[in-house]
């Protein structure tokens, strides 16, 4: 909280200095309409799923404690179609220039679980506090760790600076040894220009494996970047943007089609401070495939208050300023990039938790954004407790949504037993529009107005519809059969 509050002050100061952003609470951060990732049939994808999973951070084999049966349960209970799957630099490149193909085999096995159920996967090169190698007790092997995680031990240069035990994991970020590890990674010290090169080449090795895999649609280049001694636009528009550009170029040497997702710095921006991220150019032929993947963690909720009273008021204000910044970066800076809310979440036992989750999904729907909730790990934040008991998250998330749209969605909304979608059909897209309908709202047949039913499968809960493609925007309304 101290750090975040500090960076909020820092961030706010920077934002004021920058002066190029819309005033908080304005009509929105851009006039650029939402855009979408698309599938191979050209359908606009509306992605709903989880981060899977935090347990991978400390696993020696780099894999989450998440079985195919866990995925089957998630799919049956909530109809998700997306996952932000955590991978790690330490696992990809355990030694300099040596890429672990057996680790990538394990990742590919998990990807096939998702493929078999019609999911799309975004691979997240995850880090928190740089590496598990920052503390001897935290290092369960080459940077696997329960305090830090991400970078391999060989890329962790603390130059002998101290790291003392902290009662909150976030406070390790400002420990001298950790600050130096980040300053060496970003080469702010001028001592290690090779590390960002290794990072880009590690991503190239991952992209080389998944380039032809239609299930993997995006690469999230770095989780919650931290600039060490560099903060705000000096970091985001400096070494962070440079790393993103270098990594995008390296990926495009082997993979022309996956989206490259870039995230702002976490501190401040997660809490609504405007980001100073600058343009990343996609060298691919044709449309740019850069996406924007911010996270949302309003400070009042981080402090353990519920979504009620003053905390709710302050959280709503945070969401408004966060949304303006997201629209500005995705629309104006990145040139109309699709948005994926890479992380948001809270302790679902807090007062008003269900209302907060609904508010965030409404904001995501209005932004045309995908969502990966943090996280699928067992516990009060997730959908299931360790004993398998469902939290409120399952029913809160288990709502109708359009998964793949044969055109450009302009708006949609749903309740448990009704969905309405307006979109501009794309004549070039011959695949039908696909909609998920939960059994709770649709126990029997379905009625569709505004489109023709192609198929309704009560087992998979998927409805597909088609419309005449020579018309203007169409509105499809789905209700339970009378
Ligand atoms: C001081 N710094 C740099 C900092 C502090 C706090 C977070 C954070 O809470 N992040 C929110 C969630 N995201 C991670 C996984 O990406 C989770 O462990 C956090 O709960 C990030 C950075």
């Amino acid at each position: 909280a101290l750090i975040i509050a500090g960076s909020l002050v820092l961030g706010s100061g920077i934002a004021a200095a920058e002066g190029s952003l819309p005033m908080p609470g304005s009509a929105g951060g851009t006039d650029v309409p939402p855009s979408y990732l698309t599938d191979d049939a050209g359908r606009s994808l509306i992605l709903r799923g989880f981060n899977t999973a935090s347990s991978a951070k400390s696993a020696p084999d780099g894999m989450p404690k998440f079985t195919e049966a866990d995925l089957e349960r998630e799919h049956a209970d909530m109809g998700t179609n997306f996952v932000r799957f955590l991978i790690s630099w330490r696992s990809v490149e355990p030694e300099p220039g040596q890429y672990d193909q057996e680790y990538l085999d394990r990742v590919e096995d998990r990807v096939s679980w998702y493929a078999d159920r019609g999911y799309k996967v975004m691979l997240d090169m995850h880090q928190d506090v740089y590496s598990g190698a920052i503390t001897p007790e935290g290092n369960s092997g080459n940077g696997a760790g329960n305090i830090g995680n991400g970078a391999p031990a060989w890329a962790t240069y603390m130059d002998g600076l101290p790291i003392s035990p902290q009662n909150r994991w976030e406070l390790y970020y400002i420990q001298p040894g950790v600050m130096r590890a980040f300053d060496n990674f970003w080469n702010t010290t001028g001592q290690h220009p090779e590390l960002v090169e290794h990072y880009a080449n590690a991503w190239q090795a991952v992209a080389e494996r998944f380039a032809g895999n239609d299930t993997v649609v995006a690469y999230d280049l770095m989780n919650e970047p931290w600039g060490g001694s560099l903060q705000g636009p000096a970091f985001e528009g400096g070494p962070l943007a440079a790393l993103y550009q270098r990594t995008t170029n390296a990926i495009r040497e082997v993979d022309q089609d996956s989206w490259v997702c870039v995230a702002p710095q976490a501190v401040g921006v997660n809490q609504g401070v405007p980001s100073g991220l600058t343009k990343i150019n996609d060298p691919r032929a044709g449309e740019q495939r850069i996406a924007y993947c911010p996270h949302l963690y309003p400070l009042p909720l981080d402090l353990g208050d519920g979504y009620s009273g003053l905390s709710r008021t302050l959280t709503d204000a945070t969401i408004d300023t966060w949304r303006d910044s997201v629209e500005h970066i995705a629309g104006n800076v990145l040139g109309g990039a699709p948005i994926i809310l890479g992380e948001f979440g809270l302790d679902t036992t807090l007062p008003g938790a269900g209302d907060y989750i609904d508010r965030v999904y409404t904001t995501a729907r209005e932004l045309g954004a995908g969502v990966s909730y943090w996280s699928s790990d067992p516990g009060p934040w997730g959908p299931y407790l360790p004993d398998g008991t469902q939290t409120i998250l399952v029913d809160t998330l288990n709502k109708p949504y359009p998964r793949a749209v044969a055109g450009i969605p302009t708006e949609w909304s749903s309740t448990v037993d009704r969905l309405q979608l307006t979109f501009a059909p794309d004549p070039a897209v011959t695949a039908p529009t696909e909609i998920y309908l939960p059994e709770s709202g649709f126990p029997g047949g379905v009625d569709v107005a505004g489109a023709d039913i192609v198929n309704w499968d009560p087992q998979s809960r998927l409805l597909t519809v088609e419309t005449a493609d020579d018309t203007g925007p169409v509105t499809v309304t789905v209700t339970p059969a009378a």
Side-chain angles (χ1 to χ4, degrees):
L2 172 65
I3 303 164
I4 295 169
S7 62
L8 272 176
V9 170
L10 174 69
S12 308
I14 288 168
E18 189 169 290
S20 62
L21 296 178
M23 288 306 294
S26 65
T30 184
D31 295 328
V32 177
S35 65
Y36 297 82
L37 278 70
T38 56
D39 65 11
D40 284 356
R43 294 181 296 184
S44 299
L45 295 173
I46 295 172
L47 301 169
R48 293 293 183 267
F50 287 91
N51 279 270
T52 294
S54 190
S55 56
K57 298 177 183 179
S58 55
D61 71 350
M63 288 294 111
K65 296 190 182 84
F66 188 82
T67 66
E68 189 167 10
D70 291 327
L71 177 59
E72 187 58 35
R73 175 179 62 172
E74 172 189 322
H75 188 235
D77 286 350
M78 292 172 276
T80 47
N81 67 345
F82 179 59
V83 62
R84 179 178 186 242
F85 190 83
L86 276 66
I87 64 173
S88 53
W89 183 17
R90 61 156 174 111
S91 303
V92 173
E93 190 180 8
E95 293 301 333
Q98 296 179 23
Y99 304 115
D100 186 343
Q101 296 304 323
E102 290 180 1
Y103 168 70
L104 294 178
D105 290 344
R106 295 194 292 274
V107 175
E108 196 166 14
D109 285 347
R110 274 65 177 181
V111 168
S112 71
W113 298 353
Y114 290 96
D116 292 346
R117 294 163 176 85
Y119 280 71
K120 297 302 184 186
V121 175
M122 175 161 75
L123 297 178
D124 155 37
M125 193 70 84
H126 203 90
Q127 75 82 31
D128 300 287
V129 201
Y130 195 72
S131 171
I134 61 165
T135 61
E137 65 277 8
N139 186 358
S140 50
N142 187 35
N146 50 29
I147 296 173
N149 66 84
W154 60 262
T156 304
Y157 292 92
M158 297 174 282
D159 299 346
L161 295 180
I163 295 176
S164 58
Q166 302 296 314
N167 58 12
R168 286 180 66 105
W169 68 270
E170 302 93 328
L171 296 176
Y172 279 94
Y173 268 111
I174 55 173
Q175 285 295 295
V178 174
M179 292 288 283
R180 178 58 57 86
F182 277 102
D183 286 349
N184 277 322
F185 174 78
W186 298 112
N187 199 33
T188 307
T189 61
Q191 302 303 313
H192 289 284
E194 80 285 2
L195 293 180
V196 292
E197 190 68 24
H198 274 290
Y199 194 89
N201 291 338
W203 258 118
Q204 186 179 75
V206 173
E208 197 158 29
R209 171 65 75 102
F210 293 102
N213 189 320
D214 299 343
T215 298
V216 176
V217 288
Y219 304 125
D220 191 349
L221 295 190
M222 180 177 284
N223 178 69
E224 301 200 337
W226 169 250
S229 304
L230 280 182
Q231 291 293 319
F235 167 54
E236 291 181 299
L240 182 60
L243 175 82
Y244 286 160
Q245 189 63 66
R246 177 178 251 169
T247 305
T248 299
N249 296 345
I251 287 170
R252 285 291 180 247
E253 289 177 26
V254 297
D255 181 342
Q256 291 301 317
D257 299 322
S258 302
W259 269 260
V260 172
C261 217
V262 295
Q265 76 168 42
V267 167
V269 182
N270 285 8
Q271 291 80 32
V273 173
S275 168
L277 191 60
T278 52
K279 173 77 170 163
I280 307 300
N281 292 304
D282 188 345
R284 76 187 294 267
E287 61 166 11
Q288 298 276 289
R289 286 194 170 187
I290 302 291
Y292 184 50
C293 291
H295 296 181
L296 172 59
Y297 289 99
L299 189 57
L301 297 181
D302 262 359
L303 296 177
D305 298 336
Y307 187 57
S308 60
L310 176 61
S311 174
R312 179 166 182 149
T313 303
L314 294 173
T315 296
D316 286 341
T318 296
I319 295 172
D320 288 342
T321 56
W322 177 88
R323 175 176 176 163
D324 279 347
S325 172
V326 168
E327 289 184 308
H328 172 71
I329 297 294
N332 302 343
V333 175
L334 297 177
I339 300 161
I340 296 175
L341 173 53
E343 286 185 22
F344 94 97
L346 82 166
D347 178 344
T348 61
T349 65
L350 285 173
D355 290 346
Y356 171 67
I357 294 163
D358 285 340
R359 170 82 204 269
V360 174
Y361 275 92
T362 296
T363 301
R365 175 169 55 79
E366 292 168 352
L367 289 169
V371 181
S372 39
Y373 179 91
W374 180 268
S375 73
S376 63
D377 296 88
W381 278 56
Y384 308 101
L385 299 179
D387 68 2
T389 307
Q390 290 184 5
T391 69
I392 64 161
L393 201 55
V394 172
D395 289 343
T396 305
L397 267 54
N398 192 26
K399 301 274 181 29
Y401 71 102
R403 293 160 48 109
V405 179
I408 305 295
T410 46
E411 65 178 319
W412 65 276
S413 62
S414 73
T415 58
V416 70
D417 61 358
R418 186 178 190 274
L419 175 136
Q420 188 163 78
L421 163 68
T422 300
F423 70 99
D426 180 343
V429 177
T430 56
T433 290
E434 184 181 276
I435 295 167
Y436 168 76
L437 301 172
E439 185 169 8
S440 50
F442 293 82
V446 298
D447 280 341
V448 176
D452 299 322
I453 296 177
V454 172
N455 188 49
W456 163 233
D457 178 359
Q459 289 306 313
S460 67
R461 310 307 307 168
L462 294 184
L463 167 70
T464 49
V465 299
E466 62 186 8
T467 62
D469 54 29
D470 54 355
T471 62
V474 296
T475 295
V476 181
T477 304
V478 184
T479 49

